[in-house]
Amino acid sequence: MNRKVAIVGVGSSKFGKRNDVTIRELTWEAVKEALEDANITQKDIQLTIFGSTAYRGTEIYPAPPASEYSGLTGKTPLRVEAACATGSAAAFSAINAIASGMTDIVLAIGADKMTEVDTSTSLAIGGRGGNYLWEYHMYGTTFPTYYALYATRHMAVYGTKEEDMALVAVKAHKYASYNEKAHFRNRITVEDVLKSRVISWPIKLLDSSPISDGASAAVFMSEEKVKEWKIEDPIWVKGIGYSSDTSYIAARKEWTGLNAAREAGAMAYKMSKTSPQDIEYATVHDCFTIAEIMAYEDLGFVEKGKGAELLREGQTEKDGRIAVNLFGGLKAKGHPLGASGLAMIYEVTKQLREEAGPVQHSFKKYIALTHNVGGTGHYAFVTILER
Amino acid sequence: MEGIPLFMKYELPDVYKEFWDGLKKGEILGTKCKKCGKIYFPPQKDCTNCMTTDLEWVKLSKEGTIMTYSIVKQKPQGFENFQDYIIAIVRNSDDVDLMCWLLDKNPRVNEKVKLTSDGKRILCEGEQK
């Protein structure tokens, strides 16, 4: 990066089924909190990047109306989309705009209203998340099916069990119970997960993140402005990595991990001059429980095939070797596709600033990462942050 | 309050007619670049490897191995009236990986299967059916 970039304000709406708001009011919940957190106003913002997948809501071009409502007209809401990694794509674009020297203060917003269509329609839109003709049209793929194909292979090759995957959901719900903005706050057991309705075997209902409405936002600032304005406690972007994989899942040659995530991770570690051993806290993309187990392996927290073991040993709990998803993860906090990547940045920022209340992890080096996957590895972004 | 529904109807270009004609005859076709020999599945009209458009249709092997699978219980729009179906990824003996519907009742990863077709999609079945 040509110039250092900091995060100086974060905001997030309550996630869940939000019948009480349209995407405009929902967006404002996150934007208002981020602006207040950064102690700036809309006038200070030079550029807005708006991340939304938009297909499940009535506003299929949501950037102008949501930006207008938020008082950001004239700040060019550039809309970006990278499926479930849309929020990270917005952050990536904001970081680049500053690192390049183009701008100094950028607001990245992620918002999606996903509950405005019925479940069958939502499944059909998700099933087209890969390759329409050669997957959805011919075989009726659903989004859970794609991750189920990974789960079946991981189980066959490494002996990962349905009970192991259930532990991811149990952990997520436990931590979400402390998060007042989470979609689900009920605690569940392994038994509950195993007994829940099969969606696409071996993925069951409680292995799956919910269909959620939500918005998140973050204010990014150049080092020059951080110094000029004497910003207290900025969180620095230390490295960022990105990659992608084939749209047709069958073409990937291996189904026990996501190559895009491994490549994005390697790029982020290299840029930030860190290694997996330096990371003390991570938000990982747990849209389905198997995804969190694969993330541990893809990010190098453990060697391949040992993801379930790390979980069983409790190493990814609060104050464990590397704490993961202490706000409840996508699984229980919720997964509004456009918002999730920025919700991860919100969470890591709160953790690094030691503002996470009952789920505050203890840090030594204050280095953390976000891992956000779009589609089933169609996109991957890894961001390494430091206080 | 109900929003105004959005109906979207699609007309697909029949770019890969040969593939669909092949399926009706129980053949699985891919394309092969005449210059570099790269096989494409799903078929492509253009070889992005050597920047040519000189590809030919080739029959792919119908012997394969199950790499992974999933049993679809909750079906998406357009598939609601189907019985539960099993989507598998199969590696054939040409080392081409393809998606198919698996007809076995008790499938296993690494099971040997034969690839067939119902004229609309690729199917596969093992010895146990």
Side-chain angles (χ1 to χ4, degrees), chain A residues 130-131 134-135 139 141 146 149-150 245-255 376 378, chain B residues 41-42 67-68 87-92 95-100 122:
Chain A
N131 180 313
W134 304 99
E135 292 176 336
Y139 305 110
T141 46
Y146 293 123
L149 292 168
Y150 275 91
D245 209 336
T246 60
S247 73
Y248 181 60
I249 199 169
R252 295 185 187 172
K253 288 287 166 198
E254 186 241 315
W255 302 272
T376 58
H378 299 110
Chain B
F41 192 87
M67 305 308 289
T68 187
I87 293 174
I89 296 173
V90 167
R91 177 165 298 168
N92 80 1
D95 200 32
V96 171
D97 296 329
L98 35 80
M99 191 173 272
C100 59
I122 303 167

Side-chain angles (χ1 to χ4, degrees), chain A residues 136 138 149 152 197 200-201, chain B residues 68-70 74 77 95 121:
Chain A
Y136 188 79
M138 290 174 83
L149 292 168
T152 304
R197 181 161 54 88
S200 192
W201 186 91
Chain B
T68 187
Y69 65 91
S70 172
Q74 180 149 2
Q77 200 183 74
D95 200 32
R121 56 185 66 80

Side-chain angles (χ1 to χ4, degrees), chain A residues 158-180:
Chain A
Y158 297 115
T160 301
K161 294 184 166 40
E162 289 179 67
E163 288 83 352
D164 295 323
M165 294 193 271
L167 287 173
V168 173
V170 172
K171 177 168 80 73
H173 279 249
K174 179 177 86 178
Y175 288 114
S177 72
Y178 298 104
N179 181 357
E180 60 186 27

Side-chain angles (χ1 to χ4, degrees), chain A residues 55 58 60 118-121 123-124 128 131-142 144-146 148-154 156-157 197-203 205 248-255, chain B residues 3-4 6 8 10 12-13 16 19-20 23 29 41-43 57 66-80 85 87-91 95-101 109-110 120-123:
Chain A
Y55 249 105
T58 53
I60 60 174
D118 61 73
T119 302
S120 162
T121 306
L123 273 175
R128 295 168 193 235
N131 180 313
Y132 169 76
L133 186 60
W134 304 99
E135 292 176 336
Y136 188 79
H137 182 91
M138 290 174 83
Y139 305 110
T141 46
T142 70
T145 304
Y146 293 123
L149 292 168
Y150 275 91
T152 304
R153 184 76 188 165
H154 205 278
V157 174
R197 181 161 54 88
V198 177
I199 303 295
S200 192
W201 186 91
I203 300 281
L205 184 69
Y248 181 60
I249 199 169
R252 295 185 187 172
K253 288 287 166 198
E254 186 241 315
W255 302 272
Chain B
I4 297 167
L6 176 65
M8 298 175 86
Y10 301 92
L12 300 181
Y16 298 105
F19 174 81
W20 303 103
L23 268 194
L29 303 182
F41 192 87
W57 287 96
I66 297 173
M67 305 308 289
T68 187
Y69 65 91
S70 172
I71 307 162
V72 182
K73 298 270 186 185
Q74 180 149 2
K75 279 140 276 184
Q77 200 183 74
F79 290 83
E80 298 98 333
Y85 46 86
I87 293 174
I89 296 173
V90 167
R91 177 165 298 168
D95 200 32
V96 171
D97 296 329
L98 35 80
M99 191 173 272
C100 59
W101 270 8
V109 169
N110 294 331
K120 290 182 175 167
R121 56 185 66 80
I122 303 167
L123 306 177

